[in-house]
Structures are given as structure tokens and as C-alpha cells.
Amino acid sequence: MDYQSLINSSALTIFVAVVLLLVTTVCVIYLRNGWNEAKRLGVTTAEMKKIVLNCIGISLVPSIPIVLSVIVMAPVLGVALPWLRTSVIGSANNELISATMAASATGVEFTTTDMTPQAWINAAWAMTLGCSVALPIVLVVLKPVCKTYDVFRKKDSRWISIFSLCALVTVIAAFSINSGKKGIIPSAVIIGCFIFSYLCNLAAKNPKLKWLKDYAFPLTILFGLVLSMIITPFLS
């Protein structure tokens, strides 16, 4: 069995479908219970329908980067694993970074041509068990971190933004440097995405373009994909 047949096997797809069906069932049960409780409290059906539609609309925007991340990861990891991770508790950013780092740890690139079953298994563990390790750590670390943040917030709230930005820039810089070492094409795409994201945030300051702030991440992913397709024939 070749690599693509393995990662897109029927058994794996059925397993993921069953898990997602269970999750969906739980959501439907809670929705039904909430609906019945709202009716008991006197909320009209028209109001509840409006609430449900509003919730669906609000959920669509955060789902865009998730769908894009699945599209990006599917050729390399198959449909099942990215579908499972991003549909339950996974994060688009974390999954891509975890999978890329896990593949690199086995000595291969996160591409359709270089990935091996061993690299896929490593990525699967990193995306599932590896990411879950952070959950109990947060329970221990979050409280003292919040206390520290609160101290700085009382002195000068601007420090909170500075600390958060520094942490984000550190992660992005580490990831970008490793990707940039692979050649001029990844470097050009990274630089282009930085510029595009910056322009989106500048444009979002316009009251009429505030919606760009919510769409900046998915638009940047799309821009990176399009840019890579455009420049690859010229720079490869």
C-alpha cells in the first residue's frame, strides 16, 4: 500500500466519520435541550430561530481558516486526520505548525513527495496527544500568568499588548526562519504574506473595512497560496 492509499484508507475515514458523528450527536442533543428549555422560559419560536441563524452566521467566519487549513493539509496528511483535528478542538495554526515540525523531526519535508508513513504517524501524535499536553499545563500556568498580566495591566495596560505581540512574533519568527532556509520561494511567500497581512490590518482601521480584521488570516492564507503558484514557475 502506497502512502496516499494509507492516509486516505477507508478504515481511517470511517473511524473519523464515527467520531465526528458522535460529536455532532452531542451538539444536537444540547441544541434540542436548550430549545426546549427556552420554550419553557417563554422564548418564542421566531426568536429562537433568529438566534440559531445568528449563531450560524457568527460561526461561518471562524470556519474559513479551518476549511483552508484542511485544504492545505489534505494532500500531505490525507483528508481524515486534518478533518478530525480541525472539526473538534484543533486550531488551524497549531495543526499546521505541529504537523510541519513533526515531519521535520523525522528528517522529511512536509510535502506530498517527501512524507512517509513514519512521518505521518509522528505528525498524528504531535497533532493529537502532543497538542493535548498543553491543556493540563494551562491549568497550572494560567493563573500565575494572569496574575502577572493583571499587575502590569494596573500599572500600564499597554504592556499587555506588548507582551502578547512579542510572544506571537517569536513564534512566527522561529517558524519563518526555518521555512525561509528552504529556498527563495518560501522566503518570498512568507515576506509577501507578512506585507499582505499588514496591509489588511491597516485597511481594517477604516470603519467601512472593519470586516477585514476578521478575515485577515484566511485572506492571507489564500494570498500565500496564490502567490506561491504565481512565483514558483519563475523562481524554481
Side-chain angles (χ1 to χ4, degrees):
M1 181 180 291
D2 62 4
Y3 176 73
Q4 288 296 328
S5 299
L6 178 66
I7 63 176
N8 291 299
S9 64
S10 301
L12 185 59
T13 303
I14 292 173
F15 170 76
V16 171
V18 170
V19 173
L20 295 181
L21 179 61
L22 291 174
V23 173
T24 304
T25 302
V26 172
C27 294
V28 171
I29 291 173
Y30 273 92
L31 175 62
R32 186 190 63 183
N33 292 343
W35 186 281
N36 293 334
E37 180 65 15
K39 289 179 67 176
R40 189 185 68 82
L41 295 174
V43 182
T44 64
T45 302
E47 289 176 325
M48 288 190 289
K49 287 182 179 179
K50 184 177 180 180
I51 292 171
V52 171
L53 290 175
N54 287 338
C55 290
I56 292 174
I58 293 172
S59 301
L60 288 177
V61 173
S63 299
I64 294 175
I66 294 175
V67 173
L68 290 175
S69 65
V70 173
I71 294 174
V72 171
M73 290 187 288
V76 185
L77 297 175
V79 176
L81 180 60
W83 181 29
L84 174 64
R85 288 299 302 158
T86 55
S87 297
V88 186
I89 61 172
S91 164
N93 294 338
N94 292 342
E95 304 309 324
L96 282 169
I97 294 174
S98 299
T100 303
M101 294 179 66
S104 299
T106 60
V108 300
E109 299 292 334
F110 188 70
T111 61
T112 54
T113 55
D114 290 343
M115 284 292 286
T116 62
Q118 181 183 1
W120 185 91
I121 293 172
N122 205 36
W125 279 115
M127 294 166 66
T128 52
L129 184 61
C131 291
S132 300
V133 172
L135 297 177
I137 293 177
V138 168
L139 296 176
V140 178
V141 176
L142 187 60
K143 189 172 182 178
V145 169
C146 288
K147 286 183 177 180
T148 305
Y149 266 47
D150 193 51
V151 171
F152 282 99
R153 182 182 60 80
K154 291 178 180 178
K155 292 182 178 180
D156 190 345
S157 60
R158 291 176 297 179
W159 281 106
I160 303 300
S161 299
I162 293 173
F163 287 149
S164 300
L165 182 61
C166 288
L168 179 61
V169 169
T170 301
V171 174
I172 294 175
F175 183 72
S176 300
I177 291 172
N178 289 331
S179 299
K181 291 178 180 178
K182 299 174 184 177
I184 188 172
I185 295 176
S187 300
V189 173
I190 291 170
I191 294 172
C193 287
F194 270 122
I195 296 173
F196 181 82
S197 179
Y198 177 72
L199 293 176
C200 285
N201 282 280
L202 282 181
K205 293 181 179 180
N206 187 327
K208 295 182 179 180
L209 297 174
K210 280 186 176 181
W211 58 271
L212 274 175
K213 189 173 183 179
D214 296 324
Y215 286 91
F217 178 63
L219 287 176
T220 302
I221 292 180
L222 283 175
F223 175 80
L225 292 173
V226 173
L227 180 62
S228 64
M229 289 188 292
I230 293 174
I231 67 175
T232 297
F234 299 99
L235 299 179
S236 59

